[in-house]
Amino acid sequence: MISFPILVSIALLPFTLAQSTDTALQLAAIEAHFKQSLIVPQLLASFNPSALLTANYAGLGVVTPGQLLTKEQSAPTPEVTITPANSTVSLDGNYTIVMVDADIVGSDLSNGENRHWLVNGVQITGGKVSTDGATAITAYAGPGPATGSGPHRYVIILYSQPDSFKAPAGLSEPIGVTLFDLNAYQKDSGLGPLVAATYITVEDGTATVSIPVTSSVVSSTLVPVGPTSSGVSSGSSTKSGTGTASANTPAKTNSAPSLFTLSPLAVIFTAAAVLVVA
Ligand SMILES: *[C@@H]1O[C@H](CO)[C@@H](O)[C@H](O)[C@H]1NC(C)=O
Ligand SMILES: *[C@@H]1O[C@H](CO)[C@@H](O)[C@H](O)[C@H]1NC(C)=O
């Protein structure tokens, strides 16, 4: 969906680097990430976040969208920060936070996804997701992709949870990681719209399956988008990927993170392009 203010923000990027512009750019970038990694449409039919979601893993810090993490790095429950797109977005109320394993790019998700985290009734306190008084259905279970199964996409999503929400049978009490259908769950339980999301990539060992190459961005160079950003860990700024790989090229075994990496500028242009065509 074209947001004129966001387009203007991007157009004015060289001149105005206010924090709100930075948030808008990061939102545009995460939308681009979700399309390029095929999370949209493989997991989510559409993706129009009204806030930014950042995950902060102990010992690692804030991770960038799609960042490649080890099982060990992604094992602790992340601290999740929610930043509204603008001052008209209210973050009062109840929310549900969930993490699912959307498997590797190109996977058939018609049988559902493994649910690695599901907490109902979380609230946003001081910009952070607070589970105080919330109902943990599936406690955070760190990614554990099968060895050689390739880079799995673990998607963390915050949904609004209206008072009419009703936990479906089988998911009203604590339960471990099981396969479930995220979209059916959202619909059947009466969850509201997706508010914010991000994803990480976790792989164990060297892939023995063929992984389609996409121009998806697992880039530690994405954030900060503008010089006004602060406190966000950034990786090597010298990693500047190609971004030219075709989504249909059968690929290789994912040993080079740079394949998944775009320069910040490329991300900005891609994000702008996505906004223009959306
Ligand atoms: C604020 O953000 C929301 C969600 O992205 C958007 O729908 C709305 O148009 C924005 N409002 C302004 C004034 O930019
Ligand atoms: C959150 O949900 C509880 C239980 O339904 C409800 O009592 C409370 O008012 C809700 N809080 C907000 C801020 O909507």
Side-chain angles (χ1 to χ4, degrees):
M1 199 183 307
I2 296 183
S3 165
F4 185 67
I6 289 178
L7 285 177
V8 169
S9 298
I10 289 173
L12 296 179
L13 175 65
F15 312 107
T16 61
L17 283 164
Q19 189 62 44
S20 59
T21 305
D22 192 51
T23 301
L25 278 172
Q26 291 187 55
L27 274 168
I30 189 73
E31 290 181 32
H33 275 281
F34 270 46
K35 284 185 177 160
Q36 289 164 345
S37 64
L38 300 184
I39 290 170
V40 176
Q42 289 177 348
L43 177 69
L44 303 171
S46 62
F47 179 51
N48 302 296
S50 55
L52 269 179
L53 186 158
T54 53
N56 187 328
Y57 282 92
L60 193 63
V62 169
V63 296
T64 53
Q67 187 173 335
L68 186 62
L69 271 59
T70 64
K71 288 199 286 189
E72 292 71 26
Q73 287 172 323
S74 55
T77 308
E79 180 181 79
V80 175
T81 300
I82 307 294
T83 307
N86 56 55
S87 58
T88 70
V89 175
S90 155
L91 293 174
D92 299 334
N94 291 309
Y95 297 86
T96 285
I97 192 150
V98 62
M99 182 170 88
V100 296
D101 177 0
D103 214 305
I104 65 170
V105 170
S107 285
D108 176 7
L109 299 177
S110 58
N111 289 325
E113 306 83 34
N114 272 321
R115 180 191 62 260
H116 282 254
W117 199 14
L118 177 62
V119 186
N120 299 132
V122 303
Q123 302 200 331
I124 314 301
T125 308
K128 296 194 189 318
V129 168
S130 165
T131 55
D132 291 351
T135 307
I137 304 298
T138 301
Y140 181 85
T147 303
S149 64
H152 287 224
R153 303 163 297 172
Y154 291 86
V155 187
I156 301 173
I157 304 175
L158 186 79
Y159 290 103
S160 69
Q161 183 186 316
D163 286 346
S164 55
F165 167 82
K166 192 169 184 309
L171 288 170
S172 60
E173 290 180 6
I175 178 175
V177 175
T178 58
L179 204 60
F180 90 145
D181 182 331
L182 174 70
N183 294 301
Y185 175 80
Q186 181 194 10
K187 195 158 167 275
D188 298 346
S189 66
L191 278 181
L194 180 155
V195 173
T198 193
Y199 82 107
I200 58 172
T201 308
V202 181
E203 176 172 24
D204 188 45
T206 301
T208 55
V209 293
S210 177
I211 314 295
V213 168
T214 73
S215 57
S216 68
V217 184
V218 177
S219 172
S220 53
T221 65
L222 175 64
V223 178
V225 174
T228 54
S229 294
S230 62
V232 181
S233 66
S234 76
S236 162
S237 58
T238 60
K239 275 190 202 164
S240 177
T242 65
T244 56
S246 151
N248 295 322
T249 310
K252 73 157 292 214
T253 52
N254 183 56
S255 57
S258 61
L259 262 184
F260 292 83
T261 307
L262 291 175
S263 73
L265 200 57
V267 169
I268 289 167
F269 285 137
T270 306
V274 166
L275 282 172
V276 168
V277 299

